[in-house]
Amino acid sequence: QVQLVESGGGLVQPGESLRLSCVASGSIASIYRWAWYRQAPGKQREFVTSISATGSTYYVDSVKGRFTISWDTASKTVHLQMSSLKPEDTAIYYCNEDPPGPFWGQGTQVTVSS
């Protein structure tokens, strides 16, 4: 099993920044690519960004240039640095493998509102 604990969310104003963290534990040794996903109110969960063990990254167009994913293998933590936040970034953010495995954490709420 894989355990995922996300943190770092909060309420911010448009244009501000947040840094999310996801601590992974359990059977994670074979995971090659980590990702962040998000689920906005009334919408399905969607892919946001991923990073491979070699450091290659991928971002959906809506967050390119604003979000940065990183993976600290020593602490088994995946980070998401979010800047220039917009109201449409409001969602619950989750980390998981890419493609996602069956185990999800509780997520962390990000609310962008003036």
Side-chain angles (χ1 to χ4, degrees), residues 9-64:
L11 171 63
V12 296
Q13 295 189 347
E16 294 186 337
S17 300
L18 278 176
R19 186 177 191 236
L20 307 184
S21 297
C22 171
V23 178
S25 61
S27 303
I28 62 172
S30 62
I31 295 176
Y32 177 76
R33 180 174 288 272
W34 286 99
W36 283 93
Y37 304 81
R38 66 186 179 186
Q39 186 167 18
K43 296 187 177 181
Q44 290 193 338
R45 187 152 42 199
E46 64 176 3
F47 170 89
V48 177
T49 176
S50 66
I51 184 168
S52 74
T54 59
S56 67
T57 56
Y58 179 83
Y59 299 89
V60 294
D61 287 345
S62 61
V63 307
K64 279 182 183 176

Side-chain angles (χ1 to χ4, degrees), residues 57-75:
T57 56
Y58 179 83
Y59 299 89
V60 294
D61 287 345
S62 61
V63 307
K64 279 182 183 176
R66 301 189 299 119
F67 289 12
T68 302
I69 188 172
S70 60
W71 177 4
D72 183 342
T73 55
S75 64

